[in-house]
Amino acid sequence: MKVIISATLRSFFERASELELQGNTVEEALKELTEKYPEAKRGLYDAGGNLRGFIRIFADDEDVTDASRWRDSLDGVSQLLLLPMVAGGAPEDSIISEERRKEVTLDDKEIERFNKHLLLREISVKGQKRIRAARVAVIGAGALGSPVIQYLAAAGVGFIRIIDRDEVTPGNLQSQVIHGFRDVKRPKAASARDTVRNIDRKTEVEAENTEVTPDNVLSLIDGCDLVMDCSDNYKTRYLINDACVLSGIPCVFGSIYQYEGQVSIFGLEGGPCLRCLYPEPPEPGLVPTCAEGGTISPLSGIIGSIQANEALKLIIGIGEHLSGRLFTMDTLNLRSGVVKIRKDHNCPLCGDRPRITEVEEFDYEEFCGLAETETEDPVESLTPEELSSRITNGEPVTIVDVREPHERVIVKFPNALVIPIGQLARRQKELNPEIDTVFICKEGKRSILAVNTLREAGYKGPMYNLRGGMDAMKDFIFPNEGGGL
Amino acid sequence: MKNHCLDLSYAIRQRMLSHAEREYPRECCGVLYGSTGTDGKPVISVYESAPNECAKDRDCRFCLDPVELYRSEREFQKRGLEIMGFFHSHPDAPATPSEEDERYIIPGLLYLIAGVEDGRSVEIRSWRSLSPGEAPEEVTVY
């Protein structure tokens, strides 16, 4: 049997180019070769005894590299060729390692189920296995969490941990499409888990009915490849961002407000983080939360779907993603754009000299202005019961409604003076400093800002905040005023 | 093969880079033929582009048909030239060997990689593994 060796492999065989061997199978030929050239053993086989990837064996024009062919008779074959396999490729940027991808197998049902992914050249079987291998934590099973969780489950993500402390309310159903009316009063995490189970039984899903705190955040994201920030408040966003950067887990950030939304990726391989983009949250009360400011129903579907799409791209390792860039969209005028985010080298978290090294040691309450500071006088509050009895008893009290006009249309407060926060300082003369003034808004947060604003402007009269706002007051509002807009 | 540098002529470098740009966003590949100089340094005389035979995933991998390569190798042998190494491009990725590259790297041969960004070649670097299973070292390209 004549064996011909490509010049590229001759260094293993003392530069021999052609040999005559006795063997009549590939196995025998290889055995003879390594006996003749003991040095060649290291060249041909890896530490596990497998033929190295760069070697191909051809019997004439037929590829017989696979070990299953090694005992086939080589009768009628004129020459055995030892050729190089020249191959390689650009690095793939998947956040899922090759080892974990290889552990996954897809059965016939999954091949049918994920057919439309397998048809895409960039995804194919390899990408689908990465999706199956992926472990994702979704923080928030509300408006953004609804599309994120459902699309990740439908795409075949292998493990999803859903974290949310709240229960489903009727008001959630306008945008939180993962829950139905039967889920009202159930924990959102459990309701979302059940939806996932209904999508794909093979997706492992954990429901954590808990608030994310500096004490539990690290364990909640532990073992995950990716975190989806679908939260609705600054404190949680900064906490998630910090925990992700410190744990080396990338985070897909999303936020919505009225008609507008934003998406970005933080903490991906040295990319910028939330603190590089927004070093500090806005003053509490200045920007209403979703619950207070409202959102148009499909907005969370659009923004959450983009978050899920970014997550899948990171998992598969394809396309251009939003690390170092911020996607913004205004659905009212249908405008969207992408702006660059620079990494801040002075960032206290991911900069050159980080000052935040543990989430437990950082005061998120104070950072987000939620803690009652000692220097500032706390704002005195009235409960809905107290305000109600004062009105009923005819005690003199000025009520100032600081809500926007469209909010007042929903529920009016009878006989209230209407002054938007922006006009308070210059219209303070309309208030009588001799009698108590009570400020009301929707949730009792903007009204605190109103009290502080007037105090700063020099107003000396007694001021109170209606605790819990109109939401807490709704059971006391005079029934003849409510019902039917 | 102890010399960690490689002289690459301007003409050959340009041929490789323009091939990489032409194929963007797909990966390109080709073979470097030449000889070993009297000082032991590799001398590259010809860049022969080759079709990328990977049917799938051409954006992130390349491979050459081993039998075609052998035929080409024999043709060049008649002209006294041998395979000194291979060239391929990394579209939108750095010119450093990927995990996949390292798995297939043949010891002793040069692996030149071009990093192509947005259709423009930005760098060309050369790598060589000295023995089987060993991580490739950079060979400076002049």
Side-chain angles (χ1 to χ4, degrees):
Chain A
M1 168 68 50
K2 189 158 79 171
V3 177
I4 292 171
I5 302 164
S6 159
T8 54
L9 303 176
R10 280 177 207 160
S11 59
F12 305 148
F13 306 97
E14 296 166 19
R15 311 290 320 162
S17 62
E18 213 176 300
L19 296 158
E20 195 62 46
L21 297 178
Q22 302 297 322
N24 196 39
T25 62
V26 173
E27 193 175 65
E28 287 166 11
L30 286 174
K31 192 158 174 274
E32 252 181 280
L33 269 176
T34 48
E35 277 167 6
K36 201 169 162 114
Y37 301 101
E39 281 298 302
K41 210 163 185 174
R42 264 190 65 226
L44 291 176
Y45 304 100
D46 64 19
N50 301 308
L51 199 67
R52 289 195 188 271
F54 58 75
I55 291 171
R56 286 292 178 278
I57 306 166
F58 281 76
D60 289 334
D61 277 348
E62 201 183 338
D63 190 337
V64 292
T65 314
D66 196 88
S68 64
R69 305 289 307 272
W70 287 7
R71 289 186 179 175
D72 294 358
S73 162
L74 295 175
D75 283 339
V77 172
S78 64
Q79 56 186 15
L80 209 59
L81 292 123
L82 233 55
L83 303 179
M85 181 64 191
V86 180
E92 291 173 87
D93 293 334
S94 170
I95 56 171
I96 308 297
S97 70
E98 288 294 286
E99 288 70 31
R100 288 193 26 222
R101 168 176 69 86
K102 284 179 187 157
E103 284 169 10
V104 175
T105 53
L106 301 177
D107 61 28
D108 288 350
K109 277 186 182 164
E110 288 172 295
I111 286 168
E112 187 188 351
R113 179 178 188 121
F114 300 114
N115 183 37
K116 292 199 176 61
H117 271 169
L118 306 183
L119 288 171
L120 294 171
R121 192 166 64 106
E122 295 79 8
I123 302 181
S124 70
V125 173
K126 211 163 136 184
Q128 191 60 47
K129 286 185 174 180
R130 288 192 172 127
I131 298 173
R132 248 307 173 242
R135 300 173 61 85
V136 182
V138 184
I139 301 179
L144 290 171
S146 289
V148 165
I149 294 164
Q150 293 185 87
Y151 276 120
L152 292 183
V157 167
F159 172 87
I160 302 175
R161 183 179 290 140
I162 302 163
I163 303 133
D164 200 306
R165 64 168 182 180
D166 290 330
E167 289 177 356
V168 181
T169 66
N172 294 151
L173 302 179
Q174 170 259 13
S175 60
Q176 306 188 10
V177 295
I178 200 166
H179 315 295
F181 74 90
R182 285 194 185 87
D183 299 311
V184 170
K185 291 187 179 163
R186 289 187 68 205
K188 287 185 182 178
S191 162
R193 176 197 58 207
D194 292 350
T195 307
V196 170
R197 286 192 177 149
N198 202 28
I199 294 170
D200 188 350
R201 286 253 152 210
K202 277 199 128 181
T203 294
E204 193 189 333
V205 53
E206 273 180 18
E208 298 284 350
N209 183 21
T210 178
E211 183 180 353
V212 181
T213 65
D215 295 325
N216 68 12
V217 65
L218 293 175
S219 66
L220 286 171
I221 64 173
D222 185 46
C224 289
D225 304 299
L226 195 58
V227 172
M228 308 299 292
D229 177 0
C230 301
S231 65
D232 66 351
N233 63 82
Y234 290 100
K235 190 179 119 188
T236 311
R237 285 182 192 132
Y238 281 96
L239 181 55
I240 294 171
N241 176 70
D242 296 359
C244 282
V245 169
L246 294 173
S247 311
I249 302 173
C251 166
V252 182
F253 163 90
S255 76
I256 50 172
Y257 174 66
Q258 296 187 339
Y259 302 93
E260 292 166 31
Q262 303 184 339
V263 185
S264 190
I265 295 170
F266 297 132
L268 179 72
E269 289 160 5
C273 77
L274 177 65
R275 287 177 187 269
C276 299
L277 176 63
Y278 301 119
E280 282 176 6
E283 203 180 319
L286 199 61
V287 180
T289 62
C290 266
E292 229 188 355
T295 62
I296 191 162
S297 172
L299 174 64
S300 52
I302 297 167
I303 298 299
S305 299
I306 292 173
Q307 277 182 282
N309 201 54
E310 289 300 300
L312 289 176
K313 276 154 54 186
L314 289 178
I315 290 167
I316 303 160
I318 56 169
E320 281 188 30
H321 50 63
L322 285 171
S323 178
R325 301 186 308 153
L326 178 75
F327 171 84
T328 60
M329 184 165 198
D330 165 10
T331 61
L332 190 59
N333 301 300
L334 207 60
R335 301 266 190 278
S336 66
V338 174
V339 291
K340 274 195 177 175
I341 307 171
R342 276 169 207 269
K343 189 176 169 76
D344 179 3
H345 289 281
N346 295 316
C347 174
L349 181 69
C350 70
D352 300 337
R353 282 181 302 277
R355 297 186 293 281
I356 302 166
T357 51
E358 279 179 48
V359 284
E360 289 92 337
E361 288 177 0
F362 190 82
D363 191 339
Y364 290 89
E365 296 277 334
E366 195 204 324
F367 180 63
C368 295
L370 302 172
E372 286 184 6
T373 49
E374 288 168 11
T375 51
E376 204 175 355
D377 291 335
V379 173
E380 277 187 81
S381 291
L382 291 183
T383 63
E385 291 85 351
E386 286 165 347
L387 180 60
S388 178
S389 72
R390 280 195 183 201
I391 294 169
T392 315
N393 299 337
E395 292 174 33
V397 58
T398 310
I399 292 160
V400 177
D401 189 343
V402 298
R403 293 175 303 157
E404 301 293 320
H406 62 270
E407 297 178 86
R408 293 196 307 272
V409 172
I410 305 168
V411 196
K412 282 201 175 72
F413 200 104
N415 304 318
L417 193 59
V418 175
I419 310 177
I421 289 182
Q423 301 175 8
L424 273 173
R426 67 180 152 85
R427 288 176 63 182
Q428 56 176 291
K429 288 199 182 71
E430 294 174 34
L431 305 176
N432 181 355
E434 303 297 321
I435 63 171
D436 290 349
T437 304
V438 182
F439 292 86
I440 60 167
C441 66
K442 185 169 186 290
E443 288 190 320
K445 285 182 190 129
R446 278 175 292 169
S447 47
I448 295 176
L449 185 70
V451 173
N452 287 331
T453 306
L454 267 183
R455 196 178 273 158
E456 246 173 68
Y459 182 74
K460 299 287 185 228
M463 293 187 285
Y464 297 89
N465 162 52
L466 172 61
R467 187 177 297 157
M470 286 297 279
D471 284 355
M473 195 77 199
K474 60 176 183 267
D475 296 335
F476 294 88
I477 294 277
F478 324 91
N480 57 332
E481 296 282 337
L485 295 175
Chain B
M1 294 286 254
K2 283 276 183 288
N3 299 298
H4 289 283
C5 65
L6 167 71
D7 285 319
L8 201 59
S9 78
Y10 178 78
I12 288 178
R13 181 196 293 251
Q14 283 311 108
R15 284 202 58 193
M16 292 195 289
L17 294 181
S18 61
H19 185 209
E21 290 174 4
R22 217 162 47 238
E23 287 295 319
Y24 179 88
R26 294 176 299 278
E27 289 197 16
C28 80
C29 51
V31 190
L32 298 158
Y33 287 98
S35 52
T36 305
T38 45
D39 55 0
K41 280 188 198 168
V43 179
I44 313 291
S45 352
V46 176
Y47 171 65
E48 182 86 345
S49 63
N52 184 350
E53 292 296 336
C54 277
K56 279 190 172 184
D57 241 7
R58 252 197 300 179
D59 295 348
C60 58
R61 48 177 57 213
F62 79 95
C63 65
L64 302 183
D65 180 332
V67 178
E68 280 303 318
L69 178 64
Y70 183 61
R71 285 198 188 112
S72 161
E73 177 190 324
R74 298 221 310 189
E75 284 303 310
F76 278 95
Q77 208 174 359
K78 289 175 193 162
R79 293 159 57 185
L81 298 172
E82 54 177 316
I83 296 177
M84 304 307 291
F86 305 96
F87 170 68
H88 73 282
S89 62
H90 282 178
D92 298 312
T96 50
S98 65
E99 224 178 299
E100 189 96 350
D101 289 337
E102 289 196 22
R103 186 165 342 138
Y104 286 105
I105 204 159
I106 302 167
L109 294 175
L110 291 165
Y111 282 76
L112 272 67
I113 305 175
V116 190
E117 263 175 41
D118 289 334
R120 305 293 302 168
S121 299
V122 289
E123 57 173 349
I124 188 160
R125 293 169 75 175
S126 178
W127 306 85
R128 184 171 55 197
S129 162
L130 292 174
S131 70
E134 208 170 278
E137 290 174 25
E138 179 150 20
V139 179
T140 316
V141 182
Y142 288 100

